[in-house]
Amino acid sequence: MILFVDKDTTLFRSSSICYRGWLYGMKETDYISQLLDRLTNFAQQHDILIILMAHPTKPAKNKDGKIDPPTLYDISGSAHFFNKADFGIVVHRDRVNNTVEIRIEKVKFRHLGEPGTALMKYNLNNGRYTPYYPEQEPQWDNTNHLVEEERRRAQDAAEAAHFDFDDWLRPTDEEAPF
């Protein structure tokens, strides 16, 4: 999936990239390389961020019978997905431990960040992820942020609706704002 994000955060979704390089006698890796170059040029010309989400090849089980987390090189089609990316993020769900690992595998420019890993657990009560540390039980926040936001807005509206007519009729030394 490709998302195009411009300065006004407008999103355009393209659900797939279809390999048609065989029409031109191109290998798949050459076709993907050219496509990624074109996407990069388009992003630079139009000053937008392009987020390309891709799925890895079918993962193989290791000698212990577990599925190893994928890397950017495991994306089906080409290693160019790693080589040409400015940022590379891998999201892997460990179904055995019921955790989600978010790895920043690549940051092309050091001043924009650094590689790292975050481990998360999914909270079934509110549908959000929370940070998880293997040696600690997660601190579940079971509040519903939408209900809290609605309550805060209602309180703000009630405070704004309160008007003291007696205070308004008293003369003051303040200048009129107009």
Side-chain angles (χ1 to χ4, degrees):
M1 177 164 55
I2 303 174
L3 299 175
F4 298 98
V5 184
D6 69 7
K7 294 175 193 168
D8 299 321
T9 63
T10 304
L11 299 178
F12 167 75
R13 178 176 175 232
S14 173
S15 60
S16 65
I17 298 173
C18 183
Y19 169 60
R20 295 189 179 150
W22 58 270
L23 292 171
Y24 311 107
M26 298 174 73
K27 293 180 183 175
E28 185 177 19
T29 56
D30 295 335
Y31 179 77
I32 289 173
S33 175
Q34 189 179 63
L35 176 69
L36 293 174
D37 287 340
R38 292 172 122 183
L39 285 172
T40 301
N41 291 338
F42 182 82
Q44 290 171 349
Q45 288 173 357
H46 297 283
D47 196 20
I48 62 171
L49 169 68
I50 295 178
I51 300 170
L52 175 65
M53 294 188 289
H55 292 274
T57 57
K58 186 170 175 103
K61 293 184 179 181
N62 63 17
K63 61 183 176 185
D64 299 332
K66 294 181 181 177
I67 295 174
D68 288 328
T71 68
L72 291 175
Y73 285 114
D74 293 326
I75 297 173
S76 181
S78 178
H80 288 301
F81 286 110
F82 178 89
N83 299 336
K84 295 193 176 217
D86 291 339
F87 295 93
I89 302 171
V90 174
V91 179
H92 173 69
R93 183 175 7 166
D94 182 350
R95 295 178 192 274
V96 174
N97 297 319
N98 196 26
T99 59
V100 174
E101 179 184 45
I102 303 169
R103 273 192 338 271
I104 310 299
E105 280 199 357
K106 181 178 181 183
V107 179
K108 193 176 216 175
F109 306 107
R110 285 188 219 156
H111 68 283
L112 295 176
E114 61 187 41
T117 302
L119 200 57
M120 311 293 272
K121 274 215 175 221
Y122 185 70
N123 186 342
L124 291 171
N125 294 325
N126 61 15
R128 292 182 285 179
Y129 287 90
T130 190
Y132 174 70
Y133 305 97
E135 63 276 356
Q136 299 176 8
E137 190 60 32
Q139 298 296 318
W140 298 112
D141 175 14
N142 290 319
T143 59
N144 184 328
H145 68 283
L146 297 174
V147 171
E148 290 179 10
E149 178 66 16
E150 187 176 311
R151 191 177 301 130
R152 186 192 64 77
R153 288 183 180 184
Q155 183 179 359
D156 289 349
E159 290 174 5
H162 178 70
F163 188 77
D164 185 3
F165 285 98
D166 294 333
D167 188 47
W168 181 72
L169 293 173
R170 266 190 226 118
T172 63
D173 293 337
E174 293 179 20
E175 287 190 31
F178 45 88

